[in-house]
Amino acid sequence: MALRQIRVDGDDILRKKCKEVKEVNERTLTLIEDMLDTMYDANGVGLAAPQVGILKRIVVIDVEYNEEESSAYVLINPVILEKDGEQCGDEGCLSIPGKVATVTRPYHVVAKYFDVNMEEQTLEAEGLLARAICHELDHLDGILYKDVAESPLRDAENLLEDEEEE
Ligand code: NI
């Protein structure tokens, strides 16, 4: 298990556009393994390559982690083909630690991507997974959720307190 350093807001690399992956080699596979380890270690549900300083179009997402069975998606060169519906909720990012803000995203998305064998796949998602796909794909074009949020950033503790009150 190898953890990589997560870049935080203010680091220029988070604002750059990532390049398409042409082939998956040993280095790419190591990067993907490290991205998964780093995401789980930080209790995140998604991580994009630029967040660990690599300008490649790769994201990992796992919105329902359990130890028994992997539910992780590894998306290479992902593109959203369709989006519809709407969901409004709080979002956070490992590159903006301790903060959340309200972001409206499509409720349902269809994306295409390449898997680690460079075979094209289609993923249909709704709810949290759809939100995560939109958030992570934005990272590949240098966009952070605070750019598209409709509320100011606030401390994540407030979110937890709200949840506890329910
Ligand atoms: Ni993020």
Side-chain angles (χ1 to χ4, degrees), residues 14 46-48 51 91-96 105 132 135-136 139 143-145:
L14 294 173
L47 190 72
Q51 291 183 276
E91 212 164 286
C93 178
L94 295 176
S95 292
I96 309 177
R105 300 282 191 186
H135 176 115
E136 299 310 329
H139 273 298
I143 299 163
L144 298 178
Y145 80 91

Side-chain angles (χ1 to χ4, degrees), residues 42-72:
N43 295 316
V45 297
L47 190 72
Q51 291 183 276
V52 292
I54 307 290
L55 290 172
K56 287 188 173 159
R57 303 190 79 83
I58 302 174
V59 308
V60 297
I61 295 172
D62 189 349
V63 296
E64 47 190 61
Y65 177 68
N66 77 71
E67 285 183 10
E68 319 271 289
E69 193 182 2
S70 174
S71 46

